[in-house]
Amino acid sequence: MAKKFYVVWKGHQPGIYDNWPACQKQVHGFKDAKYKSFPSREEAEKAFGNKPYSSKPAAKAAPTSKAKKTASLTQQQVLAHSASVKMFTDGACDPNPGKAGSGLALYRGNSLESLWYGLYVAEGTNNLAELNALHQAMLMAKGELVNGSSVAIFCDSVYSINCVSQWAAGWERKGWKKSGGEIKNLA
């Protein structure tokens, strides 16, 4: 597993931490804690900048991967989409990692038909919850496609979208491994 570094801008003791338990001690129970993980100490130091957290939005770093950025759709675009079945997925975890839950909403002809929620994992992550929701939608979509329906799945997780649309083909070619080691949330 790749080592991560954690920046705590707003917590019990702001700073840079080299492991999750140390970071978690600083943010657990702290109202409106602000923190984030980084893949290298250099990036964490740059993000922290020896300055306390500011409520002013930080400039986003340029993407480091070759992943294409997909623009969000407006409500009007979603409603106009031609698919007869539309599924909307979501997942969350509180705390992260911790109790993770997933769900989806199924619309037929732009009318809500059913809500599926409670896909629960006691020790999960936000990414795992998002992937679980997307996986359930794909299983349901398969049945809809067999029955002749057209299906669109809408997901707000860039991580999950990239896993399915970009990274999975390469991982499959490499025997479901990546250059940095294991693929998290593969199962």
Side-chain angles (χ1 to χ4, degrees), residues 92-155:
C93 189
D94 186 28
N96 188 21
K99 298 174 183 176
S102 305
L104 67 88
L106 186 145
Y107 283 73
R108 196 175 303 278
N110 287 334
S111 294
L112 178 63
E113 182 174 287
S114 58
L115 292 173
W116 298 78
Y117 55 92
L119 304 169
Y120 175 76
V121 178
E123 293 297 322
T125 63
N126 192 66
N127 285 343
L128 178 64
E130 293 281 4
L131 287 169
N132 278 342
L134 186 56
H135 181 243
Q136 292 302 315
M138 287 197 272
L139 292 173
M140 292 174 73
K142 186 175 180 181
E144 293 290 339
L145 292 169
V146 166
N147 290 329
S149 297
S150 58
V151 179
I153 300 173
F154 299 91
C155 174

Side-chain angles (χ1 to χ4, degrees), residues 47-63:
F48 186 64
N50 293 321
K51 296 176 189 170
Y53 170 78
S54 167
S55 60
K56 186 176 169 182
K60 287 198 171 188

Side-chain angles (χ1 to χ4, degrees), residues 4-186:
K4 287 185 178 180
F5 295 87
Y6 301 85
V7 172
V8 176
W9 290 280
K10 192 174 175 187
H12 298 292
Q13 180 67 49
I16 299 173
Y17 298 87
D18 64 356
N19 62 72
W20 171 245
C23 175
Q24 189 175 28
K25 283 170 84 173
Q26 304 309 317
V27 299
H28 184 72
F30 193 94
K31 186 174 170 37
D32 299 317
K34 303 294 182 198
Y35 60 99
K36 183 177 178 184
S37 69
F38 295 87
S40 71
R41 179 175 290 282
E42 181 181 311
E43 289 178 68
E45 289 172 347
K46 183 177 179 184
F48 186 64
N50 293 321
K51 296 176 189 170
Y53 170 78
S54 167
S55 60
K56 186 176 169 182
K60 287 198 171 188
T64 56
S65 71
K66 296 177 184 173
K68 296 175 190 171
K69 183 164 175 136
T70 305
S72 297
L73 299 176
T74 65
Q75 181 179 4
Q76 200 171 32
Q77 290 170 313
V78 170
L79 289 170
H81 195 283
S82 64
S84 58
V85 174
K86 297 172 187 171
M87 296 181 197
F88 299 83
T89 67
D90 203 4
C93 189
D94 186 28
N96 188 21
K99 298 174 183 176
S102 305
L104 67 88
L106 186 145
Y107 283 73
R108 196 175 303 278
N110 287 334
S111 294
L112 178 63
E113 182 174 287
S114 58
L115 292 173
W116 298 78
Y117 55 92
L119 304 169
Y120 175 76
V121 178
E123 293 297 322
T125 63
N126 192 66
N127 285 343
L128 178 64
E130 293 281 4
L131 287 169
N132 278 342
L134 186 56
H135 181 243
Q136 292 302 315
M138 287 197 272
L139 292 173
M140 292 174 73
K142 186 175 180 181
E144 293 290 339
L145 292 169
V146 166
N147 290 329
S149 297
S150 58
V151 179
I153 300 173
F154 299 91
C155 174
D156 68 351
S157 168
V158 173
Y159 171 79
S160 297
I161 293 166
N162 288 342
C163 282
V164 173
S165 66
Q166 296 175 29
W167 305 331
W171 293 338
E172 185 176 30
R173 281 192 305 272
K174 296 175 186 172
W176 295 104
K177 302 256 186 272
K178 63 180 185 174
S179 57
E182 71 172 322
I183 300 171
K184 291 184 180 182
N185 303 318
L186 186 57

